[in-house]
Amino acid sequence: MNRTHAFLNRRAPAAWLCGLLALALSACQGLPTRTGCPSAQDMSPDMLHGTWTVQITGEPLGTLTLGPHPEHTGSLRGEWVTATASKPRRVVADLDDGEFTLEETHDGQRIAATWLGNLPQAACGRQIQGQRTTAGQDTRPFVLTRQP
């Protein structure tokens, strides 16, 4: 009996831990699970509001700020700032069925460049990748990354 009692005393902490673990796991079953990232088609323009880092091949980093367009519901408006530009460039953008389109102007009158991109699924809406084409037809890849 002495031997059995000693065996049970050594096993008691392990049994207690197993019971506690089982209780904790059963409690987690009632919690909602993460459903993953929204698909590009499920993203809405308001999910793009905020500040983004702009990387264009061969150009210095910039900052893009997007918010709601005051005149066109569901569209975006903002500005793109770089260290080399004399003033911020104004932009308007749309997100339609996962396709991102942005038009850039330097003078407020003419389109200086068009950006066409998409939202990679793995980036969870925190990145946009595509091509920027200037009015002179120079095309370069771009990556927009949401700032925290």
Side-chain angles (χ1 to χ4, degrees), residues 28-123:
C28 289
Q29 289 178 353
L31 297 175
T33 59
R34 183 172 178 205
T35 58
C37 300
S39 71
Q41 290 74 22
D42 291 335
M43 295 283 295
S44 60
D46 62 313
M47 296 169 104
L48 301 181
H49 294 180
T51 306
W52 300 76
T53 298
V54 179
Q55 294 175 289
I56 299 174
T57 302
E59 294 192 24
L61 289 178
T63 302
L64 174 70
T65 305
L66 293 174
H69 195 295
E71 298 165 8
H72 302 286
T73 303
S75 291
L76 303 161
R77 186 165 81 175
E79 61 182 28
W80 174 36
V81 178
T82 66
T84 58
S86 59
K87 61 182 181 175
R89 299 168 187 176
R90 289 184 274 174
V91 300
V92 293
D94 286 300
L95 181 65
D96 186 30
D97 199 27
E99 297 293 322
F100 177 78
T101 304
L102 181 143
E103 293 176 339
E104 161 194 345
T105 182
H106 300 177
D107 62 8
Q109 301 295 317
R110 292 179 296 274
I111 296 172
T114 301
W115 309 39
L116 300 175
N118 59 48
L119 291 81
Q121 179 64 31

